[in-house]
Amino acid sequence: MLQYDLHCHSTRSDGLLSPADVIRRAAARGVDVIALTDHDEVVGLAEARAAAQDAGIAFIDGSELSVTWNGETVHVVALGIDPENVELAEGLTGVRSGRDARARRIGDALEDAGIPDAFEGASGFVTSPRLISRTHFARYLIETGYVRDMKEAFKRYLTSGKPGYVPHAWASLAEVVGWIHGAGGQAVIAHPGRYKLKPSELRALIAEFRDLGGDALEVVSPSHTAAQFAEFATLARTHGLKVSCGSDFHGVGESRLDFGELPPLPAGVDPVWSTW
Ligand code: AMP
Ligand code: MN
Ligand code: MN
Ligand code: MN
């Protein structure tokens, strides 16, 4: 059986390895089919595709798009997109452009909480001039000793209701599904178990996504328990959605799962790759 990993990050967003190193690591660890899905970005795909060709594994052009749905941030993974598609590229530029002002506000909020110079500090961890994320703030908070690890950085400072969190309006679900389909790709709701949504709200999100033409639900993810694999497989089936899987790898020491460690899809689902 082929090993699919359809969600991971490189230095073109908030990962620690270059696109080529991501691919080489995945290939060395037994992944057969990989999608690079940098946040709101496609600029690493050409390098990754070339590395996949050298390594002899299959490559899927991807991205992970930031959405605001009912006031909550939701991530939508795009798979099989044309990275040259103009509307998608313009959409992503728009989504990324809000990140700089947001990061300054995060810096101000942390300053108010007694942590000075966090914007400058986080900027020192940025690896692509096109994108700053909360992950870069988390690395700064670790380096300066305010927290011990990523988990604590988010839990104490960077998630909703915490001192360094600022609300931000990303793209709408309809826009993002439209861009992805316009670029010939499939749209996948990423890690549904991560959102602070009530069960009824999660079902409403999935129903709206399906009605917009959304394609799949990411079921196997390190963000989920084994019980959630089964729960989300059922949700996918009852909504007529396909199922995806991905490690969400960001780097050694920062990610719960490394390449090649993903459990298999639950039985009885329709994989997102069934028509590839
Ligand atoms: P942003 O797109 O700037 O809001 O940053 C989101 C990124 O922060 C995610 O893609 C993860 O890489 C990281 N992240 C969010 N929540 C957590 C968490 N609880 N623990 C570790 N990393 C997280
Ligand atoms: Mn990330
Ligand atoms: Mn995500
Ligand atoms: Mn991700």
Side-chain angles (χ1 to χ4, degrees):
M1 223 167 60
L2 293 180
Q3 278 226 43
Y4 288 79
D5 192 320
L6 303 176
H7 186 161
C8 66
H9 300 273
S10 77
T11 46
R12 296 312 185 116
S13 62
D14 60 351
L16 291 173
L17 301 180
S18 70
D21 284 342
V22 164
I23 300 301
R24 285 192 275 265
R25 184 174 186 87
R29 297 182 63 89
V31 174
D32 300 296
V33 183
I34 185 152
L36 178 66
T37 58
D38 276 313
H39 296 283
D40 307 317
E41 182 59 287
V42 292
V43 77
L45 297 176
E47 179 187 323
R49 177 171 285 284
Q53 200 159 11
D54 289 346
I57 65 173
F59 183 73
I60 306 297
D61 288 297
S63 186
E64 181 178 17
L65 283 69
S66 309
V67 164
T68 300
W69 183 85
N70 275 11
E72 176 74 7
T73 297
V74 168
H75 287 168
V76 175
V77 165
L79 297 175
I81 42 171
D82 170 9
E84 310 282 326
N85 182 274
V86 173
E87 273 178 40
L88 173 66
E90 287 176 358
L92 293 180
T93 302
V95 177
R96 284 196 310 272
S97 72
R99 283 182 172 273
D100 290 329
R102 172 197 187 229
R104 288 190 186 276
R105 286 188 290 137
I106 292 174
D108 293 344
L110 287 171
E111 179 127 27
D112 292 343
I115 300 175
D117 304 324
F119 174 77
E120 292 72 18
S123 300
F125 284 91
V126 164
T127 47
S128 163
R130 290 157 61 103
L131 190 136
I132 181 163
S133 96
R134 284 183 293 163
T135 310
H136 303 117
F137 282 90
R139 292 188 185 129
Y140 176 70
L141 293 172
I142 296 166
E143 180 198 54
T144 46
Y146 288 101
V147 297
R148 271 161 303 179
D149 55 25
M150 276 277 154
K151 198 174 164 196
E152 192 184 346
F154 279 89
K155 201 169 165 204
R156 281 183 56 194
Y157 290 105
L158 299 172
T159 47
S160 179
K162 299 301 158 63
Y165 182 81
V166 301
H168 186 72
W170 303 104
S172 74
L173 191 62
E175 281 175 317
V176 157
V177 173
W179 296 335
I180 294 170
H181 285 167
Q186 289 169 294
V188 184
I189 298 219
H191 43 61
R194 282 255 300 262
Y195 309 127
K196 287 184 189 133
L197 297 172
K198 296 189 205 108
S200 61
E201 291 173 319
L202 183 63
R203 284 196 300 275
L205 166 68
I206 292 169
E208 187 176 325
F209 177 72
R210 188 263 326 273
D211 291 346
L212 287 166
D215 300 276
L217 206 55
E218 190 177 72
V219 165
V220 175
S221 159
S223 297
H224 297 162
T225 62
Q228 283 175 315
F229 296 166
E231 179 190 337
F232 295 134
T234 300
L235 264 181
R237 199 176 319 111
T238 54
H239 288 82
L241 291 169
K242 295 175 182 288
V243 159
S244 188
C245 60
S247 63
D248 209 355
F249 182 78
H250 284 71
V252 179
E254 283 195 3
S255 293
R256 269 171 278 182
L257 278 193
D258 204 330
F259 291 119
E261 294 178 348
L262 271 183
L265 293 188
V269 299
D270 181 16
V272 68
W273 55 83
S274 62
T275 52
W276 293 359

